[in-house]
Amino acid sequence: MFDIFKKRRTIIMDEEDVTKVLSVVNDHVDITYDQGIIVDECGWPDNSNKWFILTWTNNKQWELILNKIKDIKSVETE
């Protein structure tokens, strides 16, 4: 799909769920060094356990990702 149809998506989760969510994202998005995917700790002083994944996806990819991560309790999406 053309890059012009991709949007920035953010997924926030607990640290122990990072690899689960990253695995799902990797199933639907070809993660390469030039795509700008970012995985990091949120840096919130009151909740240092929260991490985020920022990636670019089209609507179809995003729907597929959301369907697979909806059962992970710590996940929040923007």
Side-chain angles (χ1 to χ4, degrees), residues 1-7 9 35 56-61:
M1 175 91 25
F2 299 111
D3 285 345
I4 61 172
F5 298 113
K6 291 186 176 184
K7 292 176 155 180
R9 315 292 183 158
Q35 274 191 303
W56 292 82
T57 67
N58 61 42
N59 289 339
K60 176 105 173 129
Q61 291 167 323

Side-chain angles (χ1 to χ4, degrees), residues 12-17 21 50 71-76:
I12 299 171
M13 75 239 66
D14 288 344
E15 183 177 14
E16 63 266 10
D17 293 326
V21 175
K50 290 292 185 182
D71 296 328
I72 301 172
K73 292 182 182 185
S74 73
V75 170
E76 303 169 33

Side-chain angles (χ1 to χ4, degrees), residues 5 13 16 29-30 34-36 40 46 58 66-67 74 78:
F5 298 113
M13 75 239 66
E16 63 266 10
V29 179
D30 291 331
D34 62 344
Q35 274 191 303
D40 201 358
D46 59 334
N58 61 42
L66 289 177
N67 283 334
S74 73
E78 295 180 2

Side-chain angles (χ1 to χ4, degrees), residues 2-62:
F2 299 111
D3 285 345
I4 61 172
F5 298 113
K6 291 186 176 184
K7 292 176 155 180
R8 185 182 72 170
R9 315 292 183 158
T10 305
I11 306 168
I12 299 171
M13 75 239 66
D14 288 344
E15 183 177 14
E16 63 266 10
D17 293 326
V18 170
T19 54
K20 291 180 208 171
V21 175
L22 193 54
S23 177
V24 172
V25 171
N26 192 43
D27 286 344
H28 300 288
V29 179
D30 291 331
I31 298 174
T32 61
Y33 73 93
D34 62 344
Q35 274 191 303
I37 189 168
I38 299 171
V39 180
D40 201 358
E41 183 182 4
C42 290
W44 298 335
D46 59 334
N47 197 345
S48 61
N49 189 42
K50 290 292 185 182
W51 283 63
F52 72 90
I53 296 174
L54 182 125
T55 188
W56 292 82
T57 67
N58 61 42
N59 289 339
K60 176 105 173 129
Q61 291 167 323
W62 187 237

